[in-house]
Amino acid sequence: MSGHTLTTTPGETASGAPPAAPRMLTGDRPTGRLHLGHYVGSLANRVRLQRRYESFFIVADLHMLTTKNSAADIAAVRRNTTDMVLDSLAAGLDPEHAVFFLQSAVPEVAEISLLLSSLVTVPRLERIPSLKEMARDAGKQEMPFALLGYPVLQAADILSVKATAVPVGRDNAAHVEVAREIARRFNRRYGHVFPVPALVPGDVPSLPGTDGQAKMSKSLGNAIYLSDPPQEVRRKVMRMYTDPARTGPGVPGTVEGNPVFAYHAAFNDRPAEVADLAGRYRSGNVGDVEVKEKLAAAINRFLAPMQERRARFEADEGFVERLIVTGTERTRREVKRTLAGMRDAMGLSAAYTEFQRHARHAARG
């Protein structure tokens, strides 16, 4: 028998009427397990805010197609989705307060994206620097049309459930601003349909990768995953980039901008230890090995309760699948209501209704 049960879908009344509570939407592309960069960039905020909002968490597999669209990429969606949801639950999301849904199983979002696409210009989208970075990281020589439209589809995700808050990392902040602009334009042109969503930034703007060369990223291979076992965490930490000018433990080193100390600041729950290490590092009285050993221990302390929770959810056969299916069905009902409201506001529904009325009248006459 299942060890976890799903009660009433969060926020849904018996009549199916939309709830009065404000909503939050956030999520990730199903390209693999979640890592520490996801945690500081967005996941920590999701956990902190989940009871303040009715919370929708999107598995953005349509967004994945903008840069990863091979048959193998698509075949991996199911496994990656399961890992993402398990990581999210492990980090502290409560399945009784979270609506997880698979983007491609809500086809109405694509229609909403099409309707919104007339409210933003190509030059506006081309000014978003993260799109060029995504194309470069994916090895694209030219910008795919789908990638250019990524922020419009993201706006459709947000507005389709009428989210009022969007916790995101710094690289997605410009996308949320596009969603805010589109919501305002739609409301001015057709009447008020959408709330203007607020961006909720992460506490740590961006976590450097273990190589010290870029932000933490799955595609760059410089990530520590939430599910990494202790020895793997230690292996990655001991190989981390540090102060390149420091040639030995007796040489004074730089703490500011040093990835190892950035991780200490983010994850070490012993501030006195961090202060002691930083002071000795600046004066040349501690080696990199000790600093990294203590960082590995700190990260493993941070991850241990998450991994215990993950193991419990993973052992409950079928629970994650039920969570995704019930959440997707719930979300699709909400999105259908939003789409109907959009079409009414725009006058699209009226045109076809008139054709139907005249056709029935002609048939009778």
Side-chain angles (χ1 to χ4, degrees):
M1 181 177 293
S2 171
H4 300 93
T5 58
L6 292 176
T7 57
T8 306
T9 307
E12 188 169 28
T13 63
S15 65
R23 288 176 173 165
M24 171 175 77
L25 180 130
T26 185
D28 299 284
R29 300 189 301 166
T31 55
R33 295 173 293 152
L34 301 184
H35 53 62
L36 291 177
H38 291 118
Y39 184 85
V40 301
S42 178
L43 192 50
N45 262 342
R46 300 175 196 180
V47 174
R48 178 175 63 85
L49 297 170
Q50 64 178 321
R51 294 179 187 277
R52 191 182 306 175
Y53 296 91
E54 184 185 354
S55 302
F56 288 78
F57 300 101
I58 182 172
V59 179
D61 55 334
L62 294 181
H63 285 295
M64 182 195 75
L65 300 180
T66 59
T67 57
K68 292 180 176 291
N69 49 33
S70 71
D73 292 328
I74 296 169
V77 165
R78 185 180 183 278
R79 176 68 255 176
N80 289 341
T81 296
T82 302
D83 279 333
M84 280 176 50
V85 174
L86 284 169
D87 285 337
S88 298
L89 296 173
L93 289 181
D94 185 344
E96 294 295 328
H97 292 271
V99 181
F100 289 96
F101 70 97
L102 186 64
Q103 185 186 31
S104 63
V106 187
E108 290 78 13
V109 171
E111 183 175 350
I112 291 175
S113 178
L114 177 63
L115 295 178
L116 297 178
S117 64
S118 63
L119 300 175
V120 65
T121 66
V122 169
R124 173 66 181 92
L125 297 174
E126 289 176 334
R127 290 199 299 271
I128 299 175
S130 60
L131 296 182
K132 296 176 184 177
E133 293 170 8
M134 290 173 69
R136 182 196 63 221
D137 292 345
K140 305 291 184 183
Q141 298 300 314
E142 296 179 322
M143 176 77 69
F145 175 76
L147 183 55
L148 183 64
Y150 190 116
V152 181
L153 180 57
Q154 194 169 50
D157 298 329
I158 296 165
L159 300 180
S160 67
V161 296
K162 299 188 176 179
T164 56
V166 187
V168 294
R170 184 174 62 182
D171 55 343
N172 266 306
H175 299 188
V176 178
E177 188 54 45
V178 170
R180 288 164 53 82
E181 293 170 10
I182 288 175
R184 292 191 190 101
R185 289 193 185 114
F186 188 98
N187 291 342
R188 283 196 303 266
R189 186 168 299 182
Y190 304 114
H192 188 85
V193 171
F194 300 117
V196 178
L199 183 151
V200 184
D203 294 332
V204 179
S206 183
L207 190 69
T210 55
D211 58 1
Q213 303 301 306
K215 70 175 183 177
M216 186 171 285
S217 168
K218 287 175 280 193
S219 61
L220 298 178
N222 61 1
I224 295 175
Y225 293 95
L226 303 185
S227 55
D228 275 345
Q231 283 305 112
E232 180 66 6
V233 170
R234 185 183 182 280
R235 184 188 70 81
K236 290 179 177 179
V237 168
M238 298 309 292
R239 297 172 59 188
M240 279 183 69
Y241 174 92
T242 183
D243 183 351
R246 196 166 191 246
T247 56
V251 177
T254 302
V255 169
E256 294 73 19
N258 187 321
V260 174
F261 281 96
Y263 280 58
H264 268 296
F267 303 109
N268 195 329
D269 57 349
R270 300 174 181 175
E273 178 178 273
V274 178
D276 172 67
L277 290 172
R280 290 195 287 140
Y281 198 84
R282 289 188 178 101
S283 61
N285 290 308
V286 66
D288 284 343
V289 170
E290 181 181 347
V291 175
K292 291 180 178 181
E293 288 277 10
K294 289 184 174 177
L295 174 60
I299 292 175
N300 281 325
R301 286 196 305 274
F302 176 79
L303 293 178
M306 292 190 195
Q307 294 176 356
E308 290 173 7
R309 285 194 294 270
R310 192 185 202 278
R312 289 199 300 271
F313 283 113
E314 194 167 20
D316 190 348
E317 186 177 356
F319 178 73
V320 170
E321 288 81 359
R322 294 194 304 276
L323 192 66
I324 293 168
V325 170
T326 57
T328 301
E329 291 172 350
R330 155 87 162 105
T331 302
R332 191 172 185 192
R333 291 193 293 272
E334 292 294 329
V335 174
K336 284 181 175 180
R337 279 196 284 264
T338 299
L339 178 57
M342 289 178 66
R343 292 177 65 88
D344 285 345
M346 297 173 74
L348 292 174
S349 300
Y352 190 62
T353 298
E354 281 296 301
F355 281 124
Q356 289 177 313
R357 187 175 66 82
H358 282 284
R360 285 194 298 267
H361 178 75
R364 288 195 301 267

